[in-house]
């Protein structure tokens, strides 16, 4: 618990990371789908698909990292709340 407080896990920053990664991943997926549906197979399309695939992977990693940080923050808050409550 002290390590979490020391590292200054901020819930707003974790959600921002999750949201940014999710938007990036969805945009990259949309680029892949639209690119394959509208263009013929050329070197330019393959290069665009490769860039979109790299952005998709980066976006998914960012979203997963932000989600895990949110989960850790919420679990630590839950553990702190349960430890501080007194039974009546």
């Amino acid at each position: 618990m002290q390590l979490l407080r020391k590292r200054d896990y901020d819930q707003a920053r974790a959600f921002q990371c999750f949201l940014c990664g999710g938007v990036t991943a969805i945009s990259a997926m949309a680029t892949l789908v639209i690119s394959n549906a509208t263009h013929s197979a050329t070197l330019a399309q393959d290069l665009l698909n490769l860039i979109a695939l790299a952005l998709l992977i980066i976006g998914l990693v960012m979203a997963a990292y932000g989600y895990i940080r949110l989960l850790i923050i919420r679990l630590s808050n839950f553990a702190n709340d349960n430890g501080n409550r007194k039974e009546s």
Side-chain angles (χ1 to χ4, degrees):
M1 293 301 171
Q2 292 175 353
L3 180 63
L4 291 175
R5 289 186 203 113
K6 185 177 178 182
R7 293 191 56 165
D8 190 31
Y9 282 98
D10 186 22
Q11 193 169 6
R13 290 187 71 190
F15 184 71
Q16 185 180 16
C17 181
F18 171 70
L19 191 63
C20 183
V23 169
T24 302
I26 289 172
S27 299
M29 271 193 281
T31 302
L32 282 172
V33 170
I34 292 171
S35 173
N36 287 331
T38 59
H39 295 99
S40 61
T42 62
L43 182 62
Q45 182 198 10
D46 289 341
L47 186 61
L48 177 67
N49 287 345
L50 185 64
I51 293 169
L53 188 61
L55 285 174
L56 176 64
I57 292 169
I58 291 170
L60 289 175
V61 168
M62 281 179 60
Y65 179 70
Y67 187 76
I68 290 170
R69 280 177 52 190
L70 277 172
L71 182 66
I72 289 171
I73 292 167
R74 291 188 180 178
L75 286 176
S76 69
N77 288 342
F78 178 73
N80 286 341
D81 286 346
N82 279 346
N84 293 335
R85 288 185 185 170
K86 295 180 182 177
E87 292 187 24
S88 311

